Amino acid sequence: MSTPVQNAKDGASETLSFAELTELLRQIFVRHGTSSEVAEVLSHNCATAQRDGAHSHGTFRIPGYLSTLASGWVDGHAQPVVEDVAPGFVRVDAKNGFAQPALAAARPLLVAKAREAGIAILAIRSSHHFAALWPDVEPFAREGLVALSVVNSMTCVVPHGGHRPLFGTNPIAFAAPCEGSDPLVFDMATSALAHGDVQIAARSGVKVPPGTGVDRNGQPTDDPKAILDGGALLPFGGHKGSALSMMVELLAAALTGGNFSFEFDWSQHPGAKTPWTGQLIIVIDPSKGETGKGFALRSRELVEQMHAAGQTRLSGDRRYRERARADKEGISMPCEELAQLRALAAQ
Ligand code: NDP
Ligand code: PYC
């Protein structure tokens, strides 16, 4: 049962369990144009992000999902078609549906191939990915596998040295098992800031760090609204982030048969927000490479040395901390947002 409380700083909030939030989101997706199978996958993904404090890809995304479904841009009932193309290669045509149900459909075959061959690739095409990427890779590491995924998004990033946007925000996520702890996971946009975080900054009236983006005249700006209103983002780390973003375009689109970030045209679908692109996932069975202690123990040794070198906060730590807190105390949500979500579920 959820519990209303008064939060002195942010106004009234209410606490839900993970199961309650997932169920609420599932009802919203079903009411707004997805099959029950798709709703199951997307609601779990979205609640997972909210639970872990990944707010740019939690319930913040619901209006974008719904306006996209209403626009007819994405097929909420798509049935992905899985193809077994080679000993280490699985392909999925998401059929203009969401990427996560395509991954779910192909996952058993992908894992079986990775365990058999030592490595397997999943190439998803004609898919819409509107979420955080780490939920796609972390579960593999919990099964003792190493996973790397890339997805391209929508044109909003100027390549290094360029004068107009071309790349998407193109994240890279990696997960590896680690003895005695949660998996080691990182997930990062190759843009200086994720597009979702620019939207959140604009909504909250806060500036973005120098080097995040440019305005419509190509001039550097710290105003998130200027970046969103005809401006563009920059890659992180100059030419290095730009090269990684190029790699993501090649792996997620050229290799899968999906669209590059600049290739789709959603102008005839007002309200469409989800990029219609592709996603690549590489899964490795590290036991095939072991010569001694085993991969997870070697991960532990590396982590201990990182701690000894002074790195106290590893990637993933913040999320795991938020997750532990939510598991204990529930997921705290502003009452106003929850009322909106409940209204959407009832519509
Ligand atoms: P962040 O810059 O917030 O974080 C990137 C990674 O660095 C995370 O693994 C984070 O761990 C880690 N990290 C952050 N701060 C530190 C620190 N001080 N020391 C050590 N590690 C740290 O993420 P982004 O803004 O780049 O991306 C946000 C999300 O947006 C991602 O989930 C991404 O998948 C999503 N996204 C999705 C797109 C799509 O097309 N679907 C497109 C672009 C982005 P931790 O998680 O613990 O904070
Ligand atoms: O935050 O950059 C982003 C993003 C793009 C698509 C989904 N999220």
Side-chain angles (χ1 to χ4, degrees):
M1 192 56 138
S2 59
T3 330
V5 292
Q6 190 68 33
N7 178 328
K9 186 162 153 263
D10 304 319
S13 63
E14 195 175 322
T15 301
L16 282 79
S17 69
F18 179 70
E20 286 171 328
L21 180 59
T22 306
E23 174 55 19
L24 176 60
L25 299 177
R26 192 194 65 76
Q27 289 172 16
I28 293 173
F29 280 116
V30 169
R31 291 263 173 178
H32 292 265
T34 75
S35 65
S36 55
E37 292 82 3
V38 169
E40 200 79 43
V41 174
L42 292 186
S43 59
H44 187 272
N45 174 286
C46 190
T48 299
Q50 190 71 21
R51 177 200 62 192
D52 277 22
H55 290 129
S56 63
H57 290 81
T59 54
F60 168 74
R61 292 275 154 186
I62 292 295
Y65 275 115
L66 302 195
S67 67
T68 305
L69 284 161
S71 77
W73 171 243
V74 68
D75 182 356
H77 290 259
Q79 302 224 332
V81 176
V82 179
E83 299 165 273
D84 182 345
V85 285
F89 213 114
V90 183
R91 260 193 330 230
V92 197
D93 184 345
K95 297 278 177 189
N96 193 32
F98 292 102
Q100 293 84 358
L103 165 57
R107 200 177 188 284
L109 181 61
L110 176 67
V111 169
K113 281 180 178 289
R115 294 214 187 274
E116 174 71 22
I119 184 166
I121 285 173
L122 177 62
I124 304 175
R125 68 183 184 281
S126 196
S127 52
H128 296 247
H129 202 296
F130 200 48
L133 205 50
W134 55 264
D136 299 356
V137 291
E138 188 189 314
F140 290 108
R142 293 200 178 275
E143 294 178 41
L145 301 164
V146 174
L148 179 73
S149 184
V150 295
V151 63
N152 60 324
S153 62
M154 64 282 177
T155 289
C156 59
V157 177
V158 184
H160 183 68
H163 55 82
R164 65 173 170 84
L166 181 75
F167 295 150
T169 42
N170 299 1
I172 302 174
F174 173 81
C178 183
E179 189 67 33
S181 73
D182 286 312
L184 300 179
V185 176
F186 74 76
D187 176 16
M188 54 183 205
T190 50
S191 49
L193 212 58
H195 198 263
D197 282 323
V198 182
Q199 292 173 57
I200 288 174
R203 187 183 284 190
S204 320
V206 299
K207 298 210 177 303
V208 294
T212 296
V214 293
D215 64 18
R216 58 171 60 244
N217 301 313
Q219 295 305 309
T221 181
D222 59 7
D223 177 359
K225 289 187 177 146
I227 293 172
L228 297 173
D229 180 19
L233 283 159
L234 295 170
F236 83 85
H239 62 284
K240 299 185 185 186
S242 195
L244 289 174
S245 193
M246 175 191 74
M247 178 193 78
V248 173
E249 293 288 346
L250 289 171
L251 294 180
L255 198 72
T256 65
N259 287 319
F260 287 124
S261 297
F262 62 84
E263 270 182 329
F264 60 85
D265 175 10
W266 49 15
S267 61
Q268 299 308 305
H269 296 266
K273 305 278 183 208
T274 61
W276 181 35
T277 55
Q279 177 179 7
L280 192 83
I281 303 179
I282 301 170
V283 177
I284 300 166
D285 178 357
S287 70
K288 299 286 195 283
E290 280 167 16
T291 53
K293 290 178 177 168
F295 183 90
L297 271 173
R298 294 289 285 154
S299 292
R300 168 58 41 204
E301 286 175 3
L302 179 63
V303 166
E304 277 165 13
Q305 288 304 317
M306 288 159 83
H307 285 150
Q311 184 175 12
T312 51
R313 193 264 209 234
L314 302 190
S315 57
D317 282 355
R318 181 194 57 83
R319 283 194 307 98
Y320 291 138
R321 208 172 39 248
E322 289 292 317
R323 186 180 303 179
R325 190 169 62 173
D327 288 348
K328 212 164 127 212
E329 301 169 11
I331 303 168
S332 175
M333 304 263 308
C335 286
E336 197 182 329
E337 186 185 357
L338 259 183
Q340 286 163 0
L341 293 175
R342 286 180 174 134
L344 288 169
Q347 254 170 32

